[in-house]
């Protein structure tokens, strides 16, 4: 049987699209059942002027997962994890993962090691050794950004050669697929994305895309979910999986900007943050069959 069932442990926001709200719909559109555990439940993402809500702790995660186990609801094809804020919660995820792998040895763990961006941590720095020593060695696919790749590899990335070295170092920790989701090198008007598969003869795939003059929330989570889905379809082809992922995101971001400046949006969605929420549900057909707009090169 073709098992396409993801356990996704990420943030939930009541309004808007980050974390599980950004990951679930695209995965469902691409044919996956998604069981979402919400690591936090917030009114909205943290880029708004305020937010309210609750945080799930490690024993609450264990409790929910025990419920799944008691009913034999613990057979998944994938575990996907994103933004988490505490050491104990990450350690509990490691226990969940070990159990899931004991039920399905083929389970694929996609780990987005969300820790920070542009030189700063936005989670406690104590999470770094847990990602590095416990979760990343158990992960099959990881999607760090530049800062996270630097922290995990111990290599400061100034140019593409440094990025290759960091990726090699990350492969040595365990994962067979490493994608650095955004690199801002000499020319910051462009974003470089790099991917590699351990042992692949063609080694690295590289993308260069125009950086839009806007700041989005949830794009990292969207990236990890789309990559999971497209790598399922093309398990041996990181280039095609990244092309599908990036083409989808590019189109969705263009639609998001287009919407944010439309008269209706300006009238009814008062803070700019609300107008800039990702336009996912309105663009289902793009997710299902993305136009080929981002082409990667093998290097
Ligand atoms: P995470 O924080 O989850 O580890 P990340 O910080 O790399 O991930 P983003 O910076 O949001 O996540 O990038 C994910 C993808 O979103 C990029 O690969 C790119 O395709 C797209 N993206 C995000 N911001 C922009 C932008 N300003 N212009 C163009 N593309 C963007
Ligand atoms: N989770 C929460 C609680 C957030 O506030 C945000 C972004 O603001 C995210 C996840 C999404 O992070 P990214 O934009 O890196 O995908
Ligand atoms: Mg980010």
């Amino acid at each position: 049987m073709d098992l396409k069932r993801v356990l996704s442990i990420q943030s939930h926001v009541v309004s808007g699209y980050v974390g599980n709200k950004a990951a679930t719909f695209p995965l469902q559109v691409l044919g996956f059942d998604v069981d979402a555990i919400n690591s936090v439940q917030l009114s909205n993402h943290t880029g708004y002027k305020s937010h309210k809500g609750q945080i799930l702790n490690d024993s609450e995660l264990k409790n929910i997962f025990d419920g799944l186990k008691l009913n034999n609801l613990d057979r998944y094809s994938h575990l996907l994890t994103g933004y988490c804020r505490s050491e104990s919660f990450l350690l509990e995820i490691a226990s969940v993962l070990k159990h899931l792998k004991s039920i399905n040895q083929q389970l694929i763990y996609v780990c987005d090691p969300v820790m920070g961006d542009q030189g700063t941590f936005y989670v406690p720095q104590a999470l770094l050794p847990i990602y590095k020593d416990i979760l990343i060695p158990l992960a099959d696919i990881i999607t760090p950004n530049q800062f996270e790749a630097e922290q995990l590899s111990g290599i400061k990335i100034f140019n593409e050669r440094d990025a290759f070295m960091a990726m090699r170092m990350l492969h040595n920790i365990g994962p067979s697929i490493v994608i650095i989701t955004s690199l801002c090198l000499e020319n910051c008007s462009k974003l470089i994305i790099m991917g590699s598969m351990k042992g692949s003869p063609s080694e690295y795939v590289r993308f260069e895309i125009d950086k839009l003059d806007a700041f989005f929330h949830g794009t990292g989570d969207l990236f990890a979910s789309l990559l999971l889905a497209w790598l399922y379809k093309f398990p041996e082809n990181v280039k095609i999986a990244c092309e599908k992922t990036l083409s989808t995101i590019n189109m969705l971001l263009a639609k998001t900007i287009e919407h944010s400046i439309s008269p209706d949006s300006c009238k009814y969605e008062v803070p700019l943050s609300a107008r800039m929420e990702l336009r996912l549900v309105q663009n289902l057909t793009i997710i299902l069959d993305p136009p080929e707009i981002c082409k990667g090169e093998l290097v």
Side-chain angles (χ1 to χ4, degrees), residues 5-9 76-81 93-94 96-98 100 107-111 135 141 228:
R5 181 175 287 273
V6 182
L7 181 65
S8 177
I9 307 178
Y76 290 97
S77 58
H78 295 80
L79 172 68
L80 171 63
T81 65
I93 287 180
V96 167
L97 172 61
K98 283 177 190 155
L100 294 179
L107 176 119
I108 292 171
Y109 175 32
V110 182
C111 176
L135 285 177
I141 301 167
L228 181 160

mmCIF file with all atom_site columns, all heavy atoms in Angstrom, residues 5-9 76-81 93-94 96-98 100 107-111 135 141 228:
data_model
loop_
_atom_site.group_PDB
_atom_site.id
_atom_site.type_symbol
_atom_site.label_atom_id
_atom_site.label_alt_id
_atom_site.label_comp_id
_atom_site.label_asym_id
_atom_site.label_entity_id
_atom_site.label_seq_id
_atom_site.pdbx_PDB_ins_code
_atom_site.Cartn_x
_atom_site.Cartn_y
_atom_site.Cartn_z
_atom_site.occupancy
_atom_site.B_iso_or_equiv
_atom_site.pdbx_formal_charge
_atom_site.auth_seq_id
_atom_site.auth_comp_id
_atom_site.auth_asym_id
_atom_site.auth_atom_id
_atom_site.pdbx_PDB_model_num
ATOM 1   N N   . ARG A 1 5   ? 1.276  9.389  4.769  1.00 0.00 ? 5   ARG A N   1
ATOM 2   C CA  . ARG A 1 5   ? 0.668  9.879  6.018  1.00 0.00 ? 5   ARG A CA  1
ATOM 3   C C   . ARG A 1 5   ? 1.750  10.565 6.843  1.00 0.00 ? 5   ARG A C   1
ATOM 4   O O   . ARG A 1 5   ? 2.720  9.930  7.255  1.00 0.00 ? 5   ARG A O   1
ATOM 5   C CB  . ARG A 1 5   ? 0.060  8.696  6.772  1.00 0.00 ? 5   ARG A CB  1
ATOM 6   C CG  . ARG A 1 5   ? -0.620 9.055  8.080  1.00 0.00 ? 5   ARG A CG  1
ATOM 7   C CD  . ARG A 1 5   ? -1.283 7.844  8.696  1.00 0.00 ? 5   ARG A CD  1
ATOM 8   N NE  . ARG A 1 5   ? -2.486 7.459  7.964  1.00 0.00 ? 5   ARG A NE  1
ATOM 9   C CZ  . ARG A 1 5   ? -3.703 7.971  8.207  1.00 0.00 ? 5   ARG A CZ  1
ATOM 10  N NH1 . ARG A 1 5   ? -3.877 8.848  9.156  1.00 0.00 ? 5   ARG A NH1 1
ATOM 11  N NH2 . ARG A 1 5   ? -4.729 7.577  7.491  1.00 0.00 ? 5   ARG A NH2 1
ATOM 12  N N   . VAL A 1 6   ? 1.552  11.857 7.042  1.00 0.00 ? 6   VAL A N   1
ATOM 13  C CA  . VAL A 1 6   ? 2.587  12.666 7.699  1.00 0.00 ? 6   VAL A CA  1
ATOM 14  C C   . VAL A 1 6   ? 2.161  13.041 9.110  1.00 0.00 ? 6   VAL A C   1
ATOM 15  O O   . VAL A 1 6   ? 1.039  13.520 9.308  1.00 0.00 ? 6   VAL A O   1
ATOM 16  C CB  . VAL A 1 6   ? 2.827  13.980 6.911  1.00 0.00 ? 6   VAL A CB  1
ATOM 17  C CG1 . VAL A 1 6   ? 3.934  14.810 7.562  1.00 0.00 ? 6   VAL A CG1 1
ATOM 18  C CG2 . VAL A 1 6   ? 3.153  13.704 5.455  1.00 0.00 ? 6   VAL A CG2 1
ATOM 19  N N   . LEU A 1 7   ? 3.061  12.842 10.072 1.00 0.00 ? 7   LEU A N   1
ATOM 20  C CA  . LEU A 1 7   ? 2.858  13.445 11.399 1.00 0.00 ? 7   LEU A CA  1
ATOM 21  C C   . LEU A 1 7   ? 3.654  14.742 11.402 1.00 0.00 ? 7   LEU A C   1
ATOM 22  O O   . LEU A 1 7   ? 4.875  14.736 11.221 1.00 0.00 ? 7   LEU A O   1
ATOM 23  C CB  . LEU A 1 7   ? 3.356  12.503 12.506 1.00 0.00 ? 7   LEU A CB  1
ATOM 24  C CG  . LEU A 1 7   ? 3.149  13.050 13.931 1.00 0.00 ? 7   LEU A CG  1
ATOM 25  C CD1 . LEU A 1 7   ? 1.665  13.195 14.259 1.00 0.00 ? 7   LEU A CD1 1
ATOM 26  C CD2 . LEU A 1 7   ? 3.805  12.136 14.968 1.00 0.00 ? 7   LEU A CD2 1
ATOM 27  N N   . SER A 1 8   ? 2.944  15.855 11.563 1.00 0.00 ? 8   SER A N   1
ATOM 28  C CA  . SER A 1 8   ? 3.603  17.165 11.458 1.00 0.00 ? 8   SER A CA  1
ATOM 29  C C   . SER A 1 8   ? 3.526  17.886 12.801 1.00 0.00 ? 8   SER A C   1
ATOM 30  O O   . SER A 1 8   ? 2.433  18.182 13.298 1.00 0.00 ? 8   SER A O   1
ATOM 31  C CB  . SER A 1 8   ? 2.899  17.978 10.355 1.00 0.00 ? 8   SER A CB  1
ATOM 32  O OG  . SER A 1 8   ? 3.464  19.261 10.282 1.00 0.00 ? 8   SER A OG  1
ATOM 33  N N   . ILE A 1 9   ? 4.688  18.126 13.395 1.00 0.00 ? 9   ILE A N   1
ATOM 34  C CA  . ILE A 1 9   ? 4.724  18.789 14.711 1.00 0.00 ? 9   ILE A CA  1
ATOM 35  C C   . ILE A 1 9   ? 5.271  20.200 14.509 1.00 0.00 ? 9   ILE A C   1
ATOM 36  O O   . ILE A 1 9   ? 6.463  20.403 14.270 1.00 0.00 ? 9   ILE A O   1
ATOM 37  C CB  . ILE A 1 9   ? 5.592  17.996 15.719 1.00 0.00 ? 9   ILE A CB  1
ATOM 38  C CG1 . ILE A 1 9   ? 5.138  16.529 15.782 1.00 0.00 ? 9   ILE A CG1 1
ATOM 39  C CG2 . ILE A 1 9   ? 5.531  18.648 17.103 1.00 0.00 ? 9   ILE A CG2 1
ATOM 40  C CD1 . ILE A 1 9   ? 5.962  15.642 16.718 1.00 0.00 ? 9   ILE A CD1 1
ATOM 41  N N   . TYR A 1 76  ? 3.250  5.946  10.175 1.00 0.00 ? 76  TYR A N   1
ATOM 42  C CA  . TYR A 1 76  ? 3.378  7.118  9.298  1.00 0.00 ? 76  TYR A CA  1
ATOM 43  C C   . TYR A 1 76  ? 4.456  6.873  8.254  1.00 0.00 ? 76  TYR A C   1
ATOM 44  O O   . TYR A 1 76  ? 5.400  6.113  8.486  1.00 0.00 ? 76  TYR A O   1
ATOM 45  C CB  . TYR A 1 76  ? 3.763  8.353  10.123 1.00 0.00 ? 76  TYR A CB  1
ATOM 46  C CG  . TYR A 1 76  ? 2.638  8.833  11.010 1.00 0.00 ? 76  TYR A CG  1
ATOM 47  C CD1 . TYR A 1 76  ? 2.576  8.458  12.353 1.00 0.00 ? 76  TYR A CD1 1
ATOM 48  C CD2 . TYR A 1 76  ? 1.623  9.629  10.498 1.00 0.00 ? 76  TYR A CD2 1
ATOM 49  C CE1 . TYR A 1 76  ? 1.528  8.873  13.159 1.00 0.00 ? 76  TYR A CE1 1
ATOM 50  C CE2 . TYR A 1 76  ? 0.571  10.053 11.305 1.00 0.00 ? 76  TYR A CE2 1
ATOM 51  C CZ  . TYR A 1 76  ? 0.530  9.671  12.625 1.00 0.00 ? 76  TYR A CZ  1
ATOM 52  O OH  . TYR A 1 76  ? -0.510 10.078 13.425 1.00 0.00 ? 76  TYR A OH  1
ATOM 53  N N   . SER A 1 77  ? 4.320  7.565  7.118  1.00 0.00 ? 77  SER A N   1
ATOM 54  C CA  . SER A 1 77  ? 5.397  7.520  6.126  1.00 0.00 ? 77  SER A CA  1
ATOM 55  C C   . SER A 1 77  ? 6.450  8.592  6.427  1.00 0.00 ? 77  SER A C   1
ATOM 56  O O   . SER A 1 77  ? 7.613  8.449  6.068  1.00 0.00 ? 77  SER A O   1
ATOM 57  C CB  . SER A 1 77  ? 4.842  7.742  4.713  1.00 0.00 ? 77  SER A CB  1
ATOM 58  O OG  . SER A 1 77  ? 4.162  8.987  4.648  1.00 0.00 ? 77  SER A OG  1
ATOM 59  N N   . HIS A 1 78  ? 6.005  9.690  7.080  1.00 0.00 ? 78  HIS A N   1
ATOM 60  C CA  . HIS A 1 78  ? 6.916  10.818 7.333  1.00 0.00 ? 78  HIS A CA  1
ATOM 61  C C   . HIS A 1 78  ? 6.653  11.454 8.693  1.00 0.00 ? 78  HIS A C   1
ATOM 62  O O   . HIS A 1 78  ? 5.505  11.534 9.126  1.00 0.00 ? 78  HIS A O   1
ATOM 63  C CB  . HIS A 1 78  ? 6.703  11.930 6.291  1.00 0.00 ? 78  HIS A CB  1
ATOM 64  C CG  . HIS A 1 78  ? 7.047  11.561 4.893  1.00 0.00 ? 78  HIS A CG  1
ATOM 65  N ND1 . HIS A 1 78  ? 6.200  10.837 4.093  1.00 0.00 ? 78  HIS A ND1 1
ATOM 66  C CD2 . HIS A 1 78  ? 8.144  11.833 4.139  1.00 0.00 ? 78  HIS A CD2 1
ATOM 67  C CE1 . HIS A 1 78  ? 6.759  10.674 2.900  1.00 0.00 ? 78  HIS A CE1 1
ATOM 68  N NE2 . HIS A 1 78  ? 7.943  11.257 2.891  1.00 0.00 ? 78  HIS A NE2 1
ATOM 69  N N   . LEU A 1 79  ? 7.741  11.949 9.299  1.00 0.00 ? 79  LEU A N   1
ATOM 70  C CA  . LEU A 1 79  ? 7.618  12.885 10.419 1.00 0.00 ? 79  LEU A CA  1
ATOM 71  C C   . LEU A 1 79  ? 8.200  14.204 9.927  1.00 0.00 ? 79  LEU A C   1
ATOM 72  O O   . LEU A 1 79  ? 9.286  14.227 9.323  1.00 0.00 ? 79  LEU A O   1
ATOM 73  C CB  . LEU A 1 79  ? 8.409  12.386 11.642 1.00 0.00 ? 79  LEU A CB  1
ATOM 74  C CG  . LEU A 1 79  ? 8.507  13.396 12.805 1.00 0.00 ? 79  LEU A CG  1
ATOM 75  C CD1 . LEU A 1 79  ? 7.152  13.616 13.466 1.00 0.00 ? 79  LEU A CD1 1
ATOM 76  C CD2 . LEU A 1 79  ? 9.499  12.902 13.878 1.00 0.00 ? 79  LEU A CD2 1
ATOM 77  N N   . LEU A 1 80  ? 7.460  15.279 10.162 1.00 0.00 ? 80  LEU A N   1
ATOM 78  C CA  . LEU A 1 80  ? 7.918  16.614 9.758  1.00 0.00 ? 80  LEU A CA  1
ATOM 79  C C   . LEU A 1 80  ? 7.919  17.492 11.002 1.00 0.00 ? 80  LEU A C   1
ATOM 80  O O   . LEU A 1 80  ? 6.914  17.559 11.709 1.00 0.00 ? 80  LEU A O   1
ATOM 81  C CB  . LEU A 1 80  ? 6.940  17.175 8.705  1.00 0.00 ? 80  LEU A CB  1
ATOM 82  C CG  . LEU A 1 80  ? 7.080  18.637 8.284  1.00 0.00 ? 80  LEU A CG  1
ATOM 83  C CD1 . LEU A 1 80  ? 8.428  18.898 7.610  1.00 0.00 ? 80  LEU A CD1 1
ATOM 84  C CD2 . LEU A 1 80  ? 5.947  19.027 7.336  1.00 0.00 ? 80  LEU A CD2 1
ATOM 85  N N   . THR A 1 81  ? 9.056  18.120 11.291 1.00 0.00 ? 81  THR A N   1
ATOM 86  C CA  . THR A 1 81  ? 9.066  19.021 12.456 1.00 0.00 ? 81  THR A CA  1
ATOM 87  C C   . THR A 1 81  ? 9.616  20.388 12.077 1.00 0.00 ? 81  THR A C   1
ATOM 88  O O   . THR A 1 81  ? 10.478 20.518 11.208 1.00 0.00 ? 81  THR A O   1
ATOM 89  C CB  . THR A 1 81  ? 9.898  18.457 13.640 1.00 0.00 ? 81  THR A CB  1
ATOM 90  O OG1 . THR A 1 81  ? 11.287 18.374 13.257 1.00 0.00 ? 81  THR A OG1 1
ATOM 91  C CG2 . THR A 1 81  ? 9.405  17.102 14.077 1.00 0.00 ? 81  THR A CG2 1
ATOM 92  N N   . ILE A 1 93  ? 10.404 14.849 21.007 1.00 0.00 ? 93  ILE A N   1
ATOM 93  C CA  . ILE A 1 93  ? 10.277 14.554 19.568 1.00 0.00 ? 93  ILE A CA  1
ATOM 94  C C   . ILE A 1 93  ? 11.222 13.409 19.190 1.00 0.00 ? 93  ILE A C   1
ATOM 95  O O   . ILE A 1 93  ? 10.863 12.530 18.400 1.00 0.00 ? 93  ILE A O   1
ATOM 96  C CB  . ILE A 1 93  ? 10.562 15.814 18.710 1.00 0.00 ? 93  ILE A CB  1
ATOM 97  C CG1 . ILE A 1 93  ? 9.383  16.791 18.823 1.00 0.00 ? 93  ILE A CG1 1
ATOM 98  C CG2 . ILE A 1 93  ? 10.796 15.443 17.243 1.00 0.00 ? 93  ILE A CG2 1
ATOM 99  C CD1 . ILE A 1 93  ? 9.534  18.063 18.026 1.00 0.00 ? 93  ILE A CD1 1
ATOM 100 N N   . ALA A 1 94  ? 12.407 13.397 19.782 1.00 0.00 ? 94  ALA A N   1
ATOM 101 C CA  . ALA A 1 94  ? 13.348 12.301 19.491 1.00 0.00 ? 94  ALA A CA  1
ATOM 102 C C   . ALA A 1 94  ? 12.740 10.959 19.906 1.00 0.00 ? 94  ALA A C   1
ATOM 103 O O   . ALA A 1 94  ? 12.870 9.960  19.187 1.00 0.00 ? 94  ALA A O   1
ATOM 104 C CB  . ALA A 1 94  ? 14.678 12.548 20.193 1.00 0.00 ? 94  ALA A CB  1
ATOM 105 N N   . VAL A 1 96  ? 9.487  10.288 20.086 1.00 0.00 ? 96  VAL A N   1
ATOM 106 C CA  . VAL A 1 96  ? 8.405  10.024 19.118 1.00 0.00 ? 96  VAL A CA  1
ATOM 107 C C   . VAL A 1 96  ? 9.010  9.424  17.849 1.00 0.00 ? 96  VAL A C   1
ATOM 108 O O   . VAL A 1 96  ? 8.542  8.407  17.329 1.00 0.00 ? 96  VAL A O   1
ATOM 109 C CB  . VAL A 1 96  ? 7.653  11.348 18.789 1.00 0.00 ? 96  VAL A CB  1
ATOM 110 C CG1 . VAL A 1 96  ? 6.751  11.185 17.574 1.00 0.00 ? 96  VAL A CG1 1
ATOM 111 C CG2 . VAL A 1 96  ? 6.840  11.813 19.999 1.00 0.00 ? 96  VAL A CG2 1
ATOM 112 N N   . LEU A 1 97  ? 10.085 10.034 17.380 1.00 0.00 ? 97  LEU A N   1
ATOM 113 C CA  . LEU A 1 97  ? 10.727 9.581  16.140 1.00 0.00 ? 97  LEU A CA  1
ATOM 114 C C   . LEU A 1 97  ? 11.217 8.141  16.266 1.00 0.00 ? 97  LEU A C   1
ATOM 115 O O   . LEU A 1 97  ? 11.007 7.320  15.357 1.00 0.00 ? 97  LEU A O   1
ATOM 116 C CB  . LEU A 1 97  ? 11.888 10.528 15.802 1.00 0.00 ? 97  LEU A CB  1
ATOM 117 C CG  . LEU A 1 97  ? 12.797 10.111 14.655 1.00 0.00 ? 97  LEU A CG  1
ATOM 118 C CD1 . LEU A 1 97  ? 12.019 10.000 13.346 1.00 0.00 ? 97  LEU A CD1 1
ATOM 119 C CD2 . LEU A 1 97  ? 13.939 11.119 14.486 1.00 0.00 ? 97  LEU A CD2 1
ATOM 120 N N   . LYS A 1 98  ? 11.859 7.847  17.392 1.00 0.00 ? 98  LYS A N   1
ATOM 121 C CA  . LYS A 1 98  ? 12.384 6.479  17.567 1.00 0.00 ? 98  LYS A CA  1
ATOM 122 C C   . LYS A 1 98  ? 11.240 5.479  17.547 1.00 0.00 ? 98  LYS A C   1
ATOM 123 O O   . LYS A 1 98  ? 11.338 4.414  16.941 1.00 0.00 ? 98  LYS A O   1
ATOM 124 C CB  . LYS A 1 98  ? 13.189 6.382  18.870 1.00 0.00 ? 98  LYS A CB  1
ATOM 125 C CG  . LYS A 1 98  ? 14.561 7.013  18.690 1.00 0.00 ? 98  LYS A CG  1
ATOM 126 C CD  . LYS A 1 98  ? 15.365 7.013  19.968 1.00 0.00 ? 98  LYS A CD  1
ATOM 127 C CE  . LYS A 1 98  ? 16.618 7.862  19.797 1.00 0.00 ? 98  LYS A CE  1
ATOM 128 N NZ  . LYS A 1 98  ? 17.121 8.381  21.062 1.00 0.00 ? 98  LYS A NZ  1
ATOM 129 N N   . LEU A 1 100 ? 8.299  5.891  16.038 1.00 0.00 ? 100 LEU A N   1
ATOM 130 C CA  . LEU A 1 100 ? 7.746  5.815  14.667 1.00 0.00 ? 100 LEU A CA  1
ATOM 131 C C   . LEU A 1 100 ? 8.631  4.963  13.771 1.00 0.00 ? 100 LEU A C   1
ATOM 132 O O   . LEU A 1 100 ? 8.141  4.196  12.953 1.00 0.00 ? 100 LEU A O   1
ATOM 133 C CB  . LEU A 1 100 ? 7.604  7.214  14.060 1.00 0.00 ? 100 LEU A CB  1
ATOM 134 C CG  . LEU A 1 100 ? 6.580  8.142  14.716 1.00 0.00 ? 100 LEU A CG  1
ATOM 135 C CD1 . LEU A 1 100 ? 6.573  9.490  14.007 1.00 0.00 ? 100 LEU A CD1 1
ATOM 136 C CD2 . LEU A 1 100 ? 5.190  7.521  14.682 1.00 0.00 ? 100 LEU A CD2 1
ATOM 137 N N   . LEU A 1 107 ? 10.271 4.970  7.530  1.00 0.00 ? 107 LEU A N   1
ATOM 138 C CA  . LEU A 1 107 ? 9.786  6.333  7.809  1.00 0.00 ? 107 LEU A CA  1
ATOM 139 C C   . LEU A 1 107 ? 10.867 7.367  7.498  1.00 0.00 ? 107 LEU A C   1
ATOM 140 O O   . LEU A 1 107 ? 12.043 7.178  7.815  1.00 0.00 ? 107 LEU A O   1
ATOM 141 C CB  . LEU A 1 107 ? 9.376  6.462  9.274  1.00 0.00 ? 107 LEU A CB  1
ATOM 142 C CG  . LEU A 1 107 ? 8.953  7.878  9.677  1.00 0.00 ? 107 LEU A CG  1
ATOM 143 C CD1 . LEU A 1 107 ? 7.511  7.910  10.147 1.00 0.00 ? 107 LEU A CD1 1
ATOM 144 C CD2 . LEU A 1 107 ? 9.862  8.443  10.758 1.00 0.00 ? 107 LEU A CD2 1
ATOM 145 N N   . ILE A 1 108 ? 10.449 8.436  6.854  1.00 0.00 ? 108 ILE A N   1
ATOM 146 C CA  . ILE A 1 108 ? 11.385 9.514  6.503  1.00 0.00 ? 108 ILE A CA  1
ATOM 147 C C   . ILE A 1 108 ? 11.161 10.681 7.450  1.00 0.00 ? 108 ILE A C   1
ATOM 148 O O   . ILE A 1 108 ? 10.024 11.126 7.631  1.00 0.00 ? 108 ILE A O   1
ATOM 149 C CB  . ILE A 1 108 ? 11.164 9.941  5.040  1.00 0.00 ? 108 ILE A CB  1
ATOM 150 C CG1 . ILE A 1 108 ? 11.594 8.792  4.123  1.00 0.00 ? 108 ILE A CG1 1
ATOM 151 C CG2 . ILE A 1 108 ? 11.929 11.220 4.697  1.00 0.00 ? 108 ILE A CG2 1
ATOM 152 C CD1 . ILE A 1 108 ? 11.239 8.989  2.677  1.00 0.00 ? 108 ILE A CD1 1
ATOM 153 N N   . TYR A 1 109 ? 12.246 11.137 8.067  1.00 0.00 ? 109 TYR A N   1
ATOM 154 C CA  . TYR A 1 109 ? 12.144 12.283 8.978  1.00 0.00 ? 109 TYR A CA  1
ATOM 155 C C   . TYR A 1 109 ? 12.667 13.544 8.288  1.00 0.00 ? 109 TYR A C   1
ATOM 156 O O   . TYR A 1 109 ? 13.844 13.631 7.928  1.00 0.00 ? 109 TYR A O   1
ATOM 157 C CB  . TYR A 1 109 ? 12.937 11.994 10.263 1.00 0.00 ? 109 TYR A CB  1
ATOM 158 C CG  . TYR A 1 109 ? 13.003 13.176 11.221 1.00 0.00 ? 109 TYR A CG  1
ATOM 159 C CD1 . TYR A 1 109 ? 11.944 14.091 11.318 1.00 0.00 ? 109 TYR A CD1 1
ATOM 160 C CD2 . TYR A 1 109 ? 14.106 13.391 12.036 1.00 0.00 ? 109 TYR A CD2 1
ATOM 161 C CE1 . TYR A 1 109 ? 11.992 15.176 12.181 1.00 0.00 ? 109 TYR A CE1 1
ATOM 162 C CE2 . TYR A 1 109 ? 14.164 14.463 12.912 1.00 0.00 ? 109 TYR A CE2 1
ATOM 163 C CZ  . TYR A 1 109 ? 13.102 15.352 12.972 1.00 0.00 ? 109 TYR A CZ  1
ATOM 164 O OH  . TYR A 1 109 ? 13.159 16.436 13.818 1.00 0.00 ? 109 TYR A OH  1
ATOM 165 N N   . VAL A 1 110 ? 11.766 14.500 8.110  1.00 0.00 ? 110 VAL A N   1
ATOM 166 C CA  . VAL A 1 110 ? 12.133 15.799 7.521  1.00 0.00 ? 110 VAL A CA  1
ATOM 167 C C   . VAL A 1 110 ? 12.223 16.803 8.663  1.00 0.00 ? 110 VAL A C   1
ATOM 168 O O   . VAL A 1 110 ? 11.223 17.116 9.309  1.00 0.00 ? 110 VAL A O   1
ATOM 169 C CB  . VAL A 1 110 ? 11.071 16.268 6.498  1.00 0.00 ? 110 VAL A CB  1
ATOM 170 C CG1 . VAL A 1 110 ? 11.493 17.596 5.875  1.00 0.00 ? 110 VAL A CG1 1
ATOM 171 C CG2 . VAL A 1 110 ? 10.845 15.211 5.423  1.00 0.00 ? 110 VAL A CG2 1
ATOM 172 N N   . CYS A 1 111 ? 13.419 17.277 8.904  1.00 0.00 ? 111 CYS A N   1
ATOM 173 C CA  . CYS A 1 111 ? 13.659 18.173 10.047 1.00 0.00 ? 111 CYS A CA  1
ATOM 174 C C   . CYS A 1 111 ? 14.021 19.569 9.551  1.00 0.00 ? 111 CYS A C   1
ATOM 175 O O   . CYS A 1 111 ? 15.037 19.746 8.877  1.00 0.00 ? 111 CYS A O   1
ATOM 176 C CB  . CYS A 1 111 ? 14.801 17.607 10.898 1.00 0.00 ? 111 CYS A CB  1
ATOM 177 S SG  . CYS A 1 111 ? 15.288 18.664 12.266 1.00 0.00 ? 111 CYS A SG  1
ATOM 178 N N   . LEU A 1 135 ? 18.801 15.149 17.041 1.00 0.00 ? 135 LEU A N   1
ATOM 179 C CA  . LEU A 1 135 ? 17.780 15.066 15.978 1.00 0.00 ? 135 LEU A CA  1
ATOM 180 C C   . LEU A 1 135 ? 18.366 14.971 14.568 1.00 0.00 ? 135 LEU A C   1
ATOM 181 O O   . LEU A 1 135 ? 17.931 14.146 13.764 1.00 0.00 ? 135 LEU A O   1
ATOM 182 C CB  . LEU A 1 135 ? 16.813 16.257 16.075 1.00 0.00 ? 135 LEU A CB  1
ATOM 183 C CG  . LEU A 1 135 ? 15.807 16.140 17.231 1.00 0.00 ? 135 LEU A CG  1
ATOM 184 C CD1 . LEU A 1 135 ? 14.939 17.379 17.321 1.00 0.00 ? 135 LEU A CD1 1
ATOM 185 C CD2 . LEU A 1 135 ? 14.911 14.912 17.047 1.00 0.00 ? 135 LEU A CD2 1
ATOM 186 N N   . ILE A 1 141 ? 16.165 14.182 5.873  1.00 0.00 ? 141 ILE A N   1
ATOM 187 C CA  . ILE A 1 141 ? 16.168 15.396 5.046  1.00 0.00 ? 141 ILE A CA  1
ATOM 188 C C   . ILE A 1 141 ? 16.191 16.588 5.991  1.00 0.00 ? 141 ILE A C   1
ATOM 189 O O   . ILE A 1 141 ? 15.407 16.634 6.943  1.00 0.00 ? 141 ILE A O   1
ATOM 190 C CB  . ILE A 1 141 ? 14.871 15.453 4.195  1.00 0.00 ? 141 ILE A CB  1
ATOM 191 C CG1 . ILE A 1 141 ? 14.769 14.211 3.289  1.00 0.00 ? 141 ILE A CG1 1
ATOM 192 C CG2 . ILE A 1 141 ? 14.795 16.746 3.384  1.00 0.00 ? 141 ILE A CG2 1
ATOM 193 C CD1 . ILE A 1 141 ? 13.392 14.008 2.657  1.00 0.00 ? 141 ILE A CD1 1
ATOM 194 N N   . LEU A 1 228 ? 9.027  17.763 1.014  1.00 0.00 ? 228 LEU A N   1
ATOM 195 C CA  . LEU A 1 228 ? 8.667  16.402 1.449  1.00 0.00 ? 228 LEU A CA  1
ATOM 196 C C   . LEU A 1 228 ? 7.814  15.730 0.364  1.00 0.00 ? 228 LEU A C   1
ATOM 197 O O   . LEU A 1 228 ? 8.086  14.598 -0.054 1.00 0.00 ? 228 LEU A O   1
ATOM 198 C CB  . LEU A 1 228 ? 7.890  16.505 2.768  1.00 0.00 ? 228 LEU A CB  1
ATOM 199 C CG  . LEU A 1 228 ? 7.409  15.240 3.467  1.00 0.00 ? 228 LEU A CG  1
ATOM 200 C CD1 . LEU A 1 228 ? 7.106  15.525 4.948  1.00 0.00 ? 228 LEU A CD1 1
ATOM 201 C CD2 . LEU A 1 228 ? 6.209  14.563 2.827  1.00 0.00 ? 228 LEU A CD2 1
#
